[in-house]
Amino acid sequence: GMKAWSKFIQRNLRYPEMAQSEGVQGKVFISFVINQQGEVSDVKVIKGIGAGCDEEAVRVIKKSPKWKPGRQNNRNVKVRYQMPLSFTIAP
């Protein structure tokens, strides 16, 4: 569920050094597909902030564990998701 997803992101998302040293913060908007087998594919940056954050967001999404595939008419179907990943420098 969403709690497990949040925990996965917190554990695996690393703030790129370049972004930290340049003070880059913000949200990277990512789009991806969960296929019929529950695997992540077609990961794309919709709106990035640069300084290595975009690449880090893609890396983390690609290493995501399997999802429960979408269901329609009792069949597994592909589902496209879009979500923001936040990069914030702690004070």
Side-chain angles (χ1 to χ4, degrees), residues 13-57:
L13 194 65
R14 301 280 167 256
Y15 213 119
E17 227 165 89
M18 185 186 352
Q20 282 186 356
S21 65
E22 293 177 14
V24 174
Q25 319 189 66
K27 290 181 193 228
V28 175
F29 289 85
I30 286 281
S31 163
F32 58 96
V33 171
I34 303 301
N35 66 19
Q36 292 94 327
Q37 290 75 42
E39 298 158 343
V40 173
S41 65
D42 195 23
V43 181
K44 293 180 182 141
V45 174
I46 299 169
K47 182 175 176 269
I49 57 174
C53 295
D54 307 353
E55 294 82 356
E56 176 60 9

Side-chain angles (χ1 to χ4, degrees), residues 33-81:
V33 171
I34 303 301
N35 66 19
Q36 292 94 327
Q37 290 75 42
E39 298 158 343
V40 173
S41 65
D42 195 23
V43 181
K44 293 180 182 141
V45 174
I46 299 169
K47 182 175 176 269
I49 57 174
C53 295
D54 307 353
E55 294 82 356
E56 176 60 9
V58 169
R59 182 192 71 79
V60 168
I61 296 293
K62 282 185 173 174
K63 87 177 251 199
S64 154
K66 277 195 164 194
W67 289 52
K68 214 180 216 171
R71 306 257 315 150
Q72 191 173 5
N73 300 327
N74 287 327
R75 295 186 23 223
N76 289 357
V77 293
K78 287 183 184 177
V79 179
R80 179 169 290 282
Y81 287 90

